[in-house]
């Protein structure tokens, strides 16, 4: 891959990111880390606990929105910050993963939701790429 | 860059994109803007988004773009679309993630000259009493069964439980609670996200501003609203917090799954929709009403804590009365004459404000002789406006006008090369104290990030949608 896991995208009112991955599993994990880089307070996360995460969709795009919404729910609803994600299984309609992190995390920025706006998951000659916009 | 869209000038305040501009459009786009605002609007994708909205099944009348329109996701922010109730669709994205994000204006018994010397104390006290910013938890501690009551009763629940005065609920759009709320259609996740956040301002563009009435433009309406020059007022901008965000998240996903069953194809999946009469459409509307009611309860709780802060600084004699409360993000069933026929439509207001004229029965009796008050916040360094709804809005825009100044610069662009302390000092020199939990919170909302609110107001005033009543100037700003 191009040596980076994600980059931030500009939007007139909101914010987005482009995530990369050599595999789809890596792409989904990096997209979740991109989301948290925008939302979570600085200072790092200890990977003290494991949290089982899952989401369903009808294709990779809808699965990505569902997956990121799952991570956002744990972060905004349960204040869990994540350090890393290990994808256990990934099909176009279902993802199961383990998130390693800790409770008690506050937000740097309130991310309201993951949008479907200009949503893209694509295979390139160098690996997978996804573009996602967030409502902030 | 967006391709050049053919826009025709209707008059000085109106422009039109014809439905044949792009395949799939079922109706025209009507843009309420003069030449200079239009030049700003054309720089981003907002008109493309308004054209996408024109493809929604069952859209009736034009897809409307207000002068504060800016690029959103799916729908533009500052857009209005009405769909037929019988054969049209409801789009959760057409309401947005922050369901019933809105503003309430509160008038005080204080004059600006009395309040200014104590503004720092007041702002500090409000900052202490009204939870705001990221991760804040509310002082309204309730359990899950009570939350269901809040979702049905909205602002009324707050008043009945000691967080307000009897007249507060009456002076809110829909009496501070929409009928038809179905807490059972609100997911457990949404309730979990919302429960600790009741009575919190939030962050981003949410704010609480202490202002004064700088100029009166319509004395009759101002008297009816209890406003006079030099008077201290407070504008509160907040919404349904995590509860509303999750409701929208849940139903956009559901609509995306179900659209194929209804043979609906759209240019942007964030526009995902379903027939109003479908099971999913009805479930969403029930959940949306519940989230809207949560937002009214939220703003009511904030008013309650604000009253406490004012009393602590200015004594028991300092009264705060609610002028009115309007929503910006909502879908409502209303009746309009369309093409010569009275029709019931579902009006999606995404970053738009209802603006009913004099005589409308949904306006509080006390305001019915002049019309519904409309509040348009500008940026924190400029001004906000009080308007009154006009008959033109009923004839042209499904009783709607703009909702703010409209963003011009991205949050990252406005921050570049700026220092929060310096910017705060500049605002202070202009007589505006700002307090925020974060430096980014101040920088992202600097006046340069927004269009000129006065220019936006000129459009709706001259187009006959709403008339100027009063211009408000900020003195103290709390950014979430």
């Amino acid at each position: 891959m191009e040596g980076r896991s994600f980059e931030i995208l500009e939007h007139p009112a909101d914010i987005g990111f482009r995530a990369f991955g050599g595999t789809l599993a890596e792409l989904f994990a990096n997209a979740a880390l991109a989301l948290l880089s925008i939302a979570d307070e600085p200072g790092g996360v200890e990977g003290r606990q494991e949290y089982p995460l899952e989401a369903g969709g009808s294709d990779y795009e809808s699965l990505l929105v569902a997956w990121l919404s799952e991570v956002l729910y744990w972060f905004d609803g349960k204040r869990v910050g994540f350090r890393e994600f290990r994808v256990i299984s990934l099909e176009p309609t279902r993802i199961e993963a383990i998130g390693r992190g800790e409770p008690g995390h506050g937000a740097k920025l309130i991310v309201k939701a993951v949008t479907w706006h200009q949503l893209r998951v694509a295979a390139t000659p160098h690996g997978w790429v996804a573009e996602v916009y967030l409502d902030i | 860059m967006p391709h050049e869209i053919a826009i025709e000038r209707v008059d000085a305040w109106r422009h039109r994109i014809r439905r044949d501009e792009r395949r799939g459009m079922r109706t025209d786009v009507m843009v309420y803007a003069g030449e200079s605002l239009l030049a700003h609007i054309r720089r981003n994708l907002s008109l493309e988004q308004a054209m996408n909205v024109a493809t929604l099944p069952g859209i009736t009348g034009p897809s409307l773009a207000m002068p504060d329109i800016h690029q959103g996701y799916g729908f533009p922010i500052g857009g209005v679309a009405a769909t037929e109730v019988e054969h049209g669709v409801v789009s959760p994205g057409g309401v947005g993630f922050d369901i019933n994000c809105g503003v309430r204006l509160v008038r005080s018994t204080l004059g600006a000259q009395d309040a200014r010397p104590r503004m720092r104390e007041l702002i500090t006290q409000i900052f202490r009493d009204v939870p705001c910013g990221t991760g804040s938890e509310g002082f309204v501690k309730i359990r899950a069964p009570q939350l269901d009551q809040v979702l049905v009763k909205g602002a009324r629940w707050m008043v009945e439980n000691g967080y307000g005065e009897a007249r507060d609920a009456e002076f809110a759009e829909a009496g501070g609670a929409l009928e038809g709320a179905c807490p059972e259609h609100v997911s457990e996740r949404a309730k979990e996200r919302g429960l600790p956040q009741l009575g919190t301002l939030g962050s981003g563009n949410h704010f609480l501003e202490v202002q004064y009435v700088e100029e009166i433009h319509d004395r009759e309406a101002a008297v009816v609203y209890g406003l006079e020059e030099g008077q201290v007022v407070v504008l509160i901008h907040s919404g349904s917090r995590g509860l509303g965000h999750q409701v929208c998240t849940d139903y956009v996903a559901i609509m995306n799954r179900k659209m194929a069953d209804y043979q609906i194809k759209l240019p942007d999946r964030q526009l995902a929709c379903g027939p109003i009469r479908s099971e999913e459409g009805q479930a969403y509307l029930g959940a949306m009403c519940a989230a809207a009611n949560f937002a009214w309860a939220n703003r009511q709780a904030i008013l309650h804590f604000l009253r406490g802060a004012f009393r602590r600084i200015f004594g028991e004699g300092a009264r705060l009365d609610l002028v009115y409360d309007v929503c910006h993000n909502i879908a409502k069933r209303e009746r309009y004459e369309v093409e010569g026929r009275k029709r019931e439509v579902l009006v999606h207001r995404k970053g738009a404000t209802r603006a009913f004229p004099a005589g409308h029965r949904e306006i509080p009796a006390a305001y019915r002789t002049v019309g519904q008050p409309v509040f348009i916040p500008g940026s924190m360094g400029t001004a906000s406006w009080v308007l009154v709804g006009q008959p033109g809005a009923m004839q042209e825009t499904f009783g709607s006008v703009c909702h703010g100044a409209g963003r011009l610069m991205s949050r990252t662009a406005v921050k570049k090369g700026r220092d929060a302390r310096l910017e705060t000092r500049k605002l202070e020199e202009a007589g505006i104290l700002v307090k925020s939990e974060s430096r980014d919170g101040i920088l992202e909302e600097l006046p340069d990030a927004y269009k000129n609110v006065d220019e936006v107001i000129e459009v709706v005033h001259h187009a006959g949608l709403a008339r100027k009543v009063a211009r408000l100037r900020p003195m103290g700003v709390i950014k979430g």
Side-chain angles (χ1 to χ4, degrees):
Chain A
M1 209 46 229
E2 301 165 36
R4 58 210 156 136
S5 50
F6 62 83
E7 62 193 21
I8 299 300
L9 299 174
E10 291 254 346
H11 179 281
D14 292 298
I15 196 165
F17 61 81
R18 183 180 293 125
F20 307 97
T23 62
L24 264 170
E26 206 177 296
L27 178 77
F28 273 61
N30 284 343
L33 291 172
L35 164 70
L36 291 170
S37 82
I38 292 165
D40 200 356
E41 61 197 351
V45 186
E46 298 263 343
R48 290 189 282 134
Q49 289 182 38
E50 288 194 340
Y51 300 87
L53 306 168
E54 57 180 347
S58 53
D59 50 31
Y60 285 129
E61 277 92 5
S62 59
L63 186 67
L64 182 61
V65 172
W67 158 248
L68 294 172
S69 299
E70 166 87 357
V71 173
L72 183 61
Y73 159 73
W74 278 87
F75 179 70
D76 188 60
K78 294 185 176 294
R79 298 186 161 219
V80 173
F82 291 102
R83 181 186 179 83
E84 60 186 345
F85 298 93
R86 185 160 46 85
V87 176
I88 296 165
S89 71
L90 179 59
E91 302 158 29
T93 56
R94 186 127 213 103
I95 180 171
E96 284 179 37
I98 298 289
R100 193 171 264 286
E102 62 183 356
H105 268 249
K108 169 175 71 180
L109 178 77
I110 292 181
V111 173
K112 292 177 185 169
V114 181
T115 83
W116 299 65
H117 176 61
Q118 296 182 340
L119 174 66
R120 197 166 80 93
V121 177
T124 75
H126 314 288
W128 290 87
V129 61
E131 286 173 9
V132 180
Y133 286 90
L134 307 172
D135 185 15
I136 56 172
Chain B
M1 281 304 286
H3 83 278
E4 199 66 6
I5 299 165
I7 303 177
E8 61 180 43
R9 184 179 191 268
V10 178
D11 60 27
W13 313 106
R14 293 170 183 82
H15 288 78
R16 180 189 292 125
I17 304 169
R18 291 198 174 271
R19 68 190 71 185
D20 52 15
E21 176 65 13
R22 196 204 288 153
R23 259 179 78 133
M25 283 175 69
R26 297 166 194 257
T27 186
D28 297 343
V29 173
M30 185 65 88
V31 188
Y32 287 83
E35 300 293 339
S36 68
L37 276 177
L38 195 62
H40 284 309
I41 292 168
R42 292 186 81 133
R43 280 187 208 151
N44 58 50
L45 292 174
S46 48
L47 292 180
E48 305 253 351
Q49 293 182 334
M51 288 161 72
N52 290 344
V53 170
T55 69
L56 286 177
I59 186 165
T60 179
S63 164
L64 299 163
M66 291 296 152
D68 56 335
I69 192 170
H70 59 276
Q71 185 179 331
Y73 31 85
F75 270 65
I77 318 286
V80 179
T83 51
E84 286 178 38
V85 167
E86 285 309 316
H87 307 291
V89 293
V90 57
S91 170
V95 171
F97 288 102
D98 200 352
I99 296 166
N100 189 7
C101 180
V103 287
R104 58 172 44 193
L105 184 73
V106 184
R107 61 173 183 250
S108 81
T109 46
L110 297 164
Q113 294 317 313
D114 311 319
R116 201 180 282 286
R118 305 193 66 184
M119 195 50 57
R120 194 174 297 276
E121 270 176 276
L122 178 65
I123 291 297
T124 306
Q125 189 67 45
I126 297 171
F127 202 70
R128 206 174 286 154
D129 293 353
V130 177
C132 62
T134 55
S136 57
E137 295 211 351
F139 300 131
V140 184
K141 299 291 179 205
I142 58 168
R143 291 177 189 279
Q146 290 168 300
L147 180 62
D148 280 4
Q149 294 172 22
V150 171
L151 298 183
V152 171
K153 290 181 146 184
R156 278 206 322 275
W157 189 91
M158 284 292 158
V159 172
E160 286 168 9
N161 286 275
Y163 298 95
E165 298 172 6
R167 72 178 286 288
D168 291 345
E170 186 196 338
F171 287 87
E173 189 172 329
L178 281 173
E179 285 177 22
C182 302
E184 65 275 22
H185 292 313
V186 176
S187 69
E188 286 309 312
R189 287 192 163 194
K191 290 176 184 176
E192 198 180 334
R193 278 178 79 176
L195 198 60
Q197 296 177 344
L198 189 57
T200 62
L201 194 64
S203 74
N205 61 357
H206 292 161
F207 65 78
L208 189 156
E209 272 191 17
V210 181
Q211 311 169 325
Y212 70 96
V213 180
E214 184 187 42
E215 304 163 353
I216 299 281
H217 291 255
D218 179 333
R219 207 150 291 280
E220 187 198 354
V223 168
V224 169
Y225 299 159
L227 299 174
E228 58 187 23
E229 266 159 22
Q231 179 182 17
V232 171
V233 295
V234 183
L235 196 62
I236 299 166
H237 180 212
S238 186
S240 50
R241 314 288 287 106
L243 186 135
H245 311 160
Q246 188 68 39
V247 165
C248 185
T249 297
D250 294 341
Y251 282 94
V252 174
I254 290 169
M255 296 299 183
N256 261 301
R257 273 202 303 276
K258 297 294 285 189
M259 271 201 302
D261 296 356
Y262 298 112
Q263 280 106 42
I264 299 171
K265 279 197 127 156
L266 295 169
D268 187 329
R269 290 173 91 176
Q270 185 64 35
L271 294 171
C273 58
I276 294 169
R277 293 291 188 203
S278 68
E279 198 183 324
E280 305 79 42
Q282 288 298 304
Y284 167 68
L285 285 169
M288 181 210 72
C289 290
N293 295 347
F294 182 89
W296 272 309
N298 192 40
R299 291 197 287 275
Q300 179 60 38
I302 292 169
L303 170 58
H304 174 73
F305 297 125
L306 178 72
R307 281 184 173 130
F310 263 74
R311 277 197 300 270
R312 261 171 225 117
I313 302 300
F314 297 108
E316 291 298 318
R319 265 199 68 74
L320 293 180
D321 285 311
L322 183 58
V323 179
Y324 202 55
D325 178 308
V326 289
C327 32
H328 288 163
N329 291 347
I330 200 84
K332 286 173 98 176
R333 283 169 77 146
E334 293 167 359
R335 289 184 75 78
Y336 293 93
E337 199 173 303
V338 187
E339 288 151 9
R341 261 181 52 212
K342 270 263 183 216
R343 285 193 200 168
E344 190 175 32
V345 294
L346 186 71
V347 184
H348 296 71
R349 295 192 180 98
K350 172 79 180 287
T353 317
R354 196 189 73 179
F356 284 169
H360 201 289
R361 62 188 170 82
E362 286 196 37
I363 305 174
Y367 297 161
R368 222 168 278 161
T369 54
V370 292
Q372 180 211 307
V374 173
F375 313 124
I376 310 295
S379 65
M380 63 182 170
T382 56
S384 297
W385 282 88
V386 179
L387 310 177
V388 57
Q390 292 295 288
M394 299 308 279
Q395 291 147 15
E396 290 185 44
T397 57
F398 298 100
S400 314
V401 290
C402 53
H403 84 308
R407 248 195 128 84
L408 207 54
M409 288 169 84
S410 78
R411 294 172 204 258
T412 31
V414 71
K415 280 192 285 195
K416 263 180 204 142
R418 293 185 201 247
D419 176 74
R421 268 174 300 187
L422 191 66
E423 298 296 336
T424 307
R425 202 177 317 136
K426 272 200 254 175
L427 285 165
E428 264 181 44
E429 282 162 11
I432 304 160
L433 284 177
V434 184
K435 205 164 168 63
S436 174
E437 188 201 44
S438 76
R439 289 180 184 181
D440 280 358
I442 293 172
L443 290 177
E444 286 174 5
E445 298 297 319
L446 282 173
D448 296 356
Y450 287 88
K451 292 180 213 167
N452 180 346
V453 68
D454 295 343
E455 208 180 336
V456 168
I457 298 302
E458 284 300 308
V459 177
V460 295
H461 179 84
H462 290 289
L465 307 179
R467 202 172 63 226
K468 296 175 191 174
V469 174
R471 191 173 191 268
L472 314 173
R473 280 279 293 166
M475 293 195 288
V477 180
I478 287 174
K479 278 287 171 200

